[in-house]
Amino acid sequence: MDQSFYHFMMTFRSKTPPDEESRLADWMFQDIGFPKQATDYHEISNYLEMNSPFDGALSVFDELYDIYLIKINQYF
């Protein structure tokens, strides 16, 4: 089973000082509506488009989603 994007993002949480990646991860952790089991780009992207936590969050998501795909494909 694929690792969810949410699970991947939790590795970016709680950085001091925070960067954009950790801000997005911390927001996802606190947002009870975030699709935590999702692996699909469009499902996550659509959610972020409707609930973007800060300017530039979608760009950060796009960059990290590419890294996520590389990481999960290493295991196949």
Side-chain angles (χ1 to χ4, degrees), residues 3-54:
Q3 176 188 45
S4 72
F5 182 73
Y6 172 84
H7 187 260
F8 164 76
M9 284 297 296
M10 293 304 99
T11 64
F12 293 91
R13 283 195 60 228
S14 302
K15 288 186 182 173
T16 304
D19 56 18
E20 289 186 330
E21 291 85 0
S22 67
R23 286 179 59 205
L24 183 58
D26 290 338
W27 172 81
M28 289 168 56
F29 179 75
Q30 295 173 2
D31 181 8
I32 61 171
F34 187 84
K36 291 179 172 54
Q37 300 304 316
T39 58
D40 180 69
Y41 173 88
H42 296 291
E43 180 181 357
I44 301 164
S45 179
N46 289 340
Y47 185 84
L48 287 172
E49 285 177 14
M50 299 298 292
N51 301 286
S52 183
F54 57 89

